[in-house]
Amino acid sequence: MAEQLQESPTFWDLVERRAELTPDALMLVDERDRRMTFGEFRDRAERVAAGLHDLGITPGTSVTWQLPTRMESVLVSVALARLGAVQTPILHIYRDREVGFVLRQQGSPFYICPGVWRDVDFPKMAADAGTGAKVIVAYDELPEGDPSTLPPAPVDGDAVRWIYFTSGTTSDPKGVQHTDRTLIAGGYGLAHAVDMGPGDVGSMVFPFAHIAGPDYLVMMFIGGCSAMLMEAFVIADAIPLFARNGVTMAGGSTAFYLMYLAEQRKQPGEKIIPTLEYLSGGGAPKPPEIFYEVQREMGVRTLHGYGMTECPMISQGSPRDTDEQLANTEGAPVFGCEITIVDADENVCPPGVDGEVRLRGPMVCKGYTDPELTKAAFDDEGRFRTGDLGHLRDDGHIVLTGRLKDVIIRKGENVSAKEIEDVLYEHPKVKDVAVIGVPDRERGEMVCAVVEPAEGVDAPLTLDEVVAHCKAAGLMMQKIPERLEVVDALPRNNTLNKILKYKLREQFGA
């Protein structure tokens, strides 16, 4: 049955087929104990699509939305898929700088947001961007209409209808182009690996606007499992909520694993979530010892995976894997994903030899909104260049060992070092700066600013000053350095005077 659902050409076709198969099965439950079945979800999403259509959103309309993880957000996204709109989800934690860039870049005539939420005025951010986008507030109430007025559902699963922005090595984020088929292929890869089915309850506590949002949603439609939603993850609230609703798979990333582990240590010998079978996630490195600690103290196994905005699922740990494989690798390539390891001379590396990870498969994006970036992203064989370093083992599982790209991965989110450097260069006490990621057990990587101070300053630069400066520049909190190191001179090479970041990582990353 999962194989048949995988063949759905569009997101909406997948929604309809699951609703026909198990209309009364639970799909979503939230912290307010609201529940929605697959059949109810399909019907409500169609009414929301009609409401959005009445407001002027038609097939091909560009819509940017910025919403927290809640039922209404999932409904809005799927309603846009029903309309065949081109949607650009952006994380609800983004602030003026990032929101303004995306709105100006996309030129969307519509911006959907939660209004004033948690003391943040989202409509004002849109207005300040100066694009004139019409603001639609979607939080407790959603626009609804008569589904009989809707145009036919889209049938072309290969049209680019999803744009996700991701940080790169340059200051500006890159727009990643996806289709219904690429997202369905990624979600099927996840579903095939973790084998969630009817009766299983997952959890969606990460930002739904992340590429993992549709990835997880497709897994639910294919497997027929349900998910617990949390608008803001608080571990003390999550534990009783998950226990009451019979969650069988929780997680998100390494940082989440550690939070669950810390809660378990408060009551050793008593399983904090009795129904829990697995922790699962990705987005950041997972030290092998965390797998064994979770298994020993929580009584569950950790299924860690590897993906990126350009390819939502690359590899994934599976219940069928051994403990050694789950502890020491990022899993095997998911169904349909071809991983090749290539050395600096473009030769394919044998098992056990490190090189750049290259990808090919139906889940790989269609490129970037900038054609020049697309050209550089694929090699002569049509494989996507990830910029990640690693090797394949004899058993086919992948081990990641580093990155070619100068990107910091903090709690699963890509952080552009150059973007932060550009902001810090403007500080009067900074002569030069290098931003690096240093290993951190909780975050995966911590953002560390290494500063060469300007001459003639009255007092040394402090971390508090760095934080205040970044906040004033509009950077979101996840990008603001958490560590400051001041050095007499940054290490540079003798030819291009380029800062040698690897030396800084060696010095401060121990």
Side-chain angles (χ1 to χ4, degrees):
M1 185 57 67
E3 286 74 13
Q4 296 174 18
L5 289 172
Q6 181 215 6
E7 295 170 0
S8 290
T10 66
F11 222 89
W12 185 251
D13 183 70
L14 189 60
V15 172
E16 286 199 310
R17 292 176 73 176
R18 172 48 64 188
E20 291 167 3
L21 283 171
T22 56
D24 299 323
L26 179 66
M27 177 183 167
L28 299 173
V29 59
D30 68 9
E31 60 259 68
R32 289 155 54 184
D33 207 32
R34 296 187 300 167
R35 296 170 181 272
M36 188 176 292
T37 67
F38 284 103
E40 290 168 340
F41 179 86
R42 173 201 56 196
D43 295 344
R44 179 92 189 276
E46 201 160 33
R47 295 197 302 272
V48 174
L52 294 173
H53 186 258
D54 291 342
L55 293 173
I57 298 175
T58 60
T61 300
S62 174
V63 180
T64 296
W65 60 264
Q66 186 178 21
L67 298 166
T69 302
R70 63 197 327 259
M71 285 186 183
E72 287 77 10
S73 307
V74 182
L75 284 164
V76 164
S77 181
V78 173
L80 290 171
R82 164 62 181 85
L83 285 168
V86 178
Q87 55 183 301
T88 301
I90 53 180
L91 301 183
H92 65 279
I93 57 176
Y94 277 10
R95 294 297 177 257
D96 301 71
R97 185 183 182 94
E98 297 89 1
V99 172
F101 175 84
V102 173
L103 286 175
R104 288 188 292 270
Q105 182 85 356
Q106 289 302 97
S108 298
F110 294 91
Y111 169 67
I112 304 177
C113 69
V116 178
W117 180 77
R118 296 182 182 267
D119 298 325
V120 177
D121 191 334
F122 287 83
K124 183 179 183 302
M125 281 199 292
D128 290 346
T131 65
K134 179 179 179 180
V135 174
I136 299 173
V137 174
Y139 192 65
D140 283 330
E141 301 293 331
L142 297 178
E144 295 194 23
D146 180 0
S148 68
T149 65
L150 284 170
V155 295
D156 181 8
D158 295 313
V160 172
R161 295 196 188 94
W162 307 76
I163 310 292
Y164 282 87
F165 277 82
T166 182
S167 295
T169 55
T170 58
S171 178
D172 292 334
K174 299 177 290 186
V176 180
Q177 301 180 108
H178 274 287
T179 70
D180 285 13
R181 284 192 194 273
T182 60
L183 295 182
I184 290 172
Y188 179 77
L190 175 62
H192 185 269
V194 301
D195 204 23
M196 295 269 282
D200 278 315
V201 182
S203 62
M204 201 181 296
V205 298
F206 51 83
F208 178 66
H210 192 282
I211 191 69
D215 202 34
Y216 208 91
L217 202 55
V218 168
M219 179 195 73
M220 293 168 59
F221 288 129
I222 287 175
C225 57
S226 57
M228 178 89 229
L229 303 182
M230 288 191 74
E231 190 168 323
F233 182 77
V234 178
I235 186 67
D237 297 335
I239 298 301
L241 199 60
F242 288 6
R244 186 169 71 248
N245 287 282
V247 167
T248 57
M249 187 168 77
S253 69
T254 301
F256 284 87
Y257 307 157
L258 291 169
M259 284 189 278
Y260 288 113
L261 194 56
E263 288 299 305
Q264 181 65 71
R265 285 169 175 164
K266 294 177 183 177
Q267 48 187 79
E270 180 183 348
K271 198 171 180 180
I272 53 174
I273 306 172
T275 53
L276 191 66
E277 298 177 8
Y278 303 104
L279 292 182
S280 181
K286 171 193 60 64
E289 60 267 25
I290 288 181
F291 171 86
Y292 291 110
E293 289 176 6
V294 168
Q295 185 180 53
R296 182 173 60 251
E297 300 180 48
M298 296 187 65
V300 302
R301 305 170 84 209
T302 302
L303 314 179
H304 203 63
Y306 167 39
M308 56 179 52
T309 306
E310 292 87 345
C311 185
M313 284 309 306
I314 299 170
S315 65
Q316 176 64 45
S318 168
R320 300 179 288 274
D321 291 341
T322 67
D323 288 352
E324 188 279 330
Q325 288 171 326
L326 292 175
N328 295 294
T329 77
E330 312 300 319
V334 298
F335 184 90
C337 187
E338 176 189 328
I339 298 178
T340 305
I341 308 297
V342 178
D343 67 18
D345 296 319
E346 296 294 307
N347 299 313
V348 175
C349 298
V353 176
D354 276 0
E356 185 189 8
V357 180
R358 305 270 177 96
L359 308 172
R360 191 159 44 197
M363 63 286 295
V364 177
C365 71
K366 297 303 181 182
Y368 298 103
T369 52
D370 183 339
E372 292 304 312
L373 290 176
T374 302
K375 289 179 186 177
F378 293 87
D379 65 17
D380 293 340
E381 300 294 324
R383 297 173 301 211
F384 179 74
R385 307 172 187 267
T386 67
D388 293 322
L389 296 172
H391 61 264
L392 287 168
R393 308 195 322 178
D394 288 328
D395 61 7
H397 283 56
I398 186 168
V399 177
L400 297 179
T401 55
R403 284 188 302 281
L404 294 174
K405 300 182 295 183
D406 189 14
V407 171
I408 300 161
I409 301 182
R410 182 193 183 279
K411 289 189 175 181
E413 294 297 333
N414 286 2
V415 175
S416 167
K418 187 175 185 298
E419 180 182 10
I420 305 168
E421 288 164 356
D422 288 348
V423 170
L424 290 179
Y425 274 128
E426 298 172 359
H427 196 284
K429 291 187 178 181
V430 174
K431 177 182 178 182
D432 211 346
V433 59
V435 172
I436 59 173
V438 294
D440 181 79
R441 179 178 169 88
E442 178 186 352
R443 304 167 183 82
E445 286 186 323
M446 178 189 293
V447 180
C448 175
V450 186
V451 169
E452 185 175 328
E455 289 86 4
V457 296
D458 295 329
L461 181 68
T462 66
L463 181 59
D464 285 345
E465 288 176 304
V466 167
V467 171
H469 180 76
C470 291
K471 284 183 177 179
L475 284 182
M476 65 178 181
M477 286 300 297
Q478 284 74 4
K479 295 180 180 179
I480 295 176
E482 298 148 294
R483 179 176 166 185
L484 171 67
E485 299 289 346
V486 179
V487 296
D488 292 335
L490 291 165
R492 301 174 182 274
N493 65 12
N494 294 325
T495 52
L496 300 175
N497 205 33
K498 182 180 179 181
I499 296 173
L500 302 175
K501 286 195 173 182
Y502 74 89
K503 289 187 175 293
L504 296 176
R505 295 188 186 99
E506 289 173 358
Q507 181 178 354
F508 300 113

